[in-house]
Amino acid sequence: MLPDEIQSFCSERFGKVQSFQYCSGGCINNGGKITTYSGEFFVKWNSSTQFPDMFSKEKQGLQLLSKSTSLTIPKVVEVYEGTQYSCLVLEYLNSAPKKLDYWVQLGRGLALLHAENASHFGLDHDNYMGSLKQKNSAHSNWIEFFIHQRIDPQIKLALANNKIGKNDKKAIEALYPKLPDLFPAEKPSLTHGDLWSGNIMPGSNGEPALIDPAVSFAHRETDIAMTQLFGSLPNEFYASYNEINPLTVGWKDRLELYNLYPLLVHVNLFGGGYLSQVMQIVKRYH
């Protein structure tokens, strides 16, 4: 059910909420479709005290993406920060059947998004990856950014909560000196940041849309890697991407290395068998 606080806000802003249909807001948030006098919207909500400014950060990320890609990005309608709950109201995307060139469009659109470059890796603000805070302090060097803004914070959090052991920490850190020989040097690219298949969907016109970002200027191969984290996308996607913005030779062999970050996030959020996946990757690159 839509919490009373969120329903009151939506009614004041858009007119009476006539109906609410629950649908997934992802693994972290609650979400659903509301029908009001002003139209249909997608609203997702969570605790305003536990996750401060989560949706304000997501709004910034969505707006950054919308300025830099031809792919469909849901328009932000409103952000609400309340006493108990906060919410993000978006245009409602009626998902239509995928167009025949859906995966080609996705590959080309992502390639153009990654052509948006910056002088430093990071962002002018921190944001969230799932429900965990994501640090984005600027670094001129990708490897330093990857270590200090991505991997180390997750290791420290996992250690503090007994999700990993000291030997696991040492094994992961033993990879650090090898990274200069593994990662190619590239300019910082605007990335979606959480580009697993669940955050890619067909919009109302059957063309690809991106949702739920964790935006930063990072190595573009991080997005490519995440498309293979829980099953790979069709070959047309990767081929069309490479036609526009060719990846550096050997990219397929590096993808698991980038996925250490989202997998460590999963260790911290969900535990389970994700640590074994992390350690298998670490063992592969030792």
Side-chain angles (χ1 to χ4, degrees):
M1 290 293 293
L2 196 65
D4 289 343
E5 183 181 2
I6 301 301
Q7 181 157 330
S8 295
F9 164 73
C10 292
S11 294
E12 290 173 8
R13 177 64 176 80
F14 307 111
K16 182 180 178 181
V17 176
Q18 298 166 309
S19 66
F20 170 73
Q21 180 182 348
Y22 185 87
C23 46
S24 176
C27 300
I28 305 302
N29 301 298
N30 299 292
K33 171 186 172 183
I34 59 170
T35 302
T36 74
Y37 289 139
S38 300
E40 297 177 340
F41 305 96
F42 182 79
V43 58
K44 60 182 187 177
W45 72 90
N46 216 318
S47 166
S48 58
T49 54
Q50 192 174 355
F51 308 113
D53 296 324
M54 172 183 278
F55 297 126
S56 297
K57 305 299 186 184
E58 184 170 344
K59 173 185 176 180
Q60 289 177 272
L62 288 167
Q63 290 176 335
L64 268 174
L65 293 179
S66 67
K67 292 176 183 177
S68 304
T69 183
S70 58
L71 299 171
T72 298
I73 307 296
K75 293 182 177 65
V76 177
V77 179
E78 197 73 71
V79 174
Y80 170 73
E81 296 286 346
T83 54
Q84 186 176 359
Y85 294 102
S86 59
C87 77
L88 178 68
V89 183
L90 303 168
E91 68 168 316
Y92 186 76
L93 299 179
N94 280 300
S95 188
K98 297 183 181 75
K99 285 192 170 181
L100 291 177
D101 63 346
Y102 177 87
W103 296 111
V104 171
Q105 284 191 36
L106 179 63
R108 290 173 178 169
L110 189 67
L112 293 172
L113 174 68
H114 289 167
E116 181 75 22
N117 299 125
S119 59
H120 287 76
F121 295 95
L123 202 60
D124 60 0
H125 61 274
D126 294 340
N127 48 20
Y128 283 83
M129 176 69 152
S131 61
L132 300 181
K133 289 185 178 180
Q134 177 170 270
K135 294 169 63 64
N136 291 315
S137 297
H139 288 264
S140 59
N141 178 282
W142 161 248
I143 294 167
E144 289 182 4
F145 180 82
F146 184 69
I147 292 171
H148 298 299
Q149 304 299 308
R150 295 292 179 260
I151 304 302
D152 275 353
Q154 296 304 317
I155 291 176
K156 290 175 183 175
L157 182 61
L159 271 175
N161 293 315
N162 297 313
K163 298 287 183 71
I164 67 171
K166 291 182 179 179
N167 288 337
D168 300 323
K169 175 179 181 289
K170 289 179 181 178
I172 296 170
E173 291 175 341
L175 277 181
Y176 293 173
K178 302 180 179 183
L179 295 181
D181 295 325
L182 295 171
F183 286 133
E186 289 204 357
K187 294 178 180 178
S189 293
L190 181 59
T191 58
H192 177 281
D194 195 5
L195 200 65
W196 71 291
S197 58
N199 286 339
I200 306 165
M201 62 173 284
S204 56
N205 55 8
E207 297 179 349
L210 304 183
I211 59 174
D212 296 346
V215 168
S216 69
F217 284 90
H219 200 303
R220 63 194 175 112
E221 289 181 356
T222 58
D223 273 349
I224 302 297
M226 282 208 71
T227 67
Q228 298 197 4
L229 185 57
F230 301 114
S232 182
L233 299 185
N235 288 334
E236 304 99 283
F237 163 74
Y238 302 100
S240 60
Y241 181 100
N242 275 297
E243 287 176 5
I244 303 294
N245 198 354
L247 293 160
T248 305
V249 174
W251 61 271
K252 292 181 181 179
D253 297 325
R254 293 187 291 271
L255 298 188
E256 284 190 331
L257 197 57
Y258 295 100
N259 280 337
L260 283 174
Y261 172 56
L263 284 171
L264 281 168
V265 169
H266 278 69
V267 168
N268 280 309
L269 288 176
F270 309 115
Y274 292 110
L275 178 58
S276 63
Q277 287 183 254
V278 168
M279 300 319 295
Q280 285 172 10
I281 293 172
V282 170
K283 185 176 180 180
R284 176 187 170 187
Y285 289 97
H286 265 309

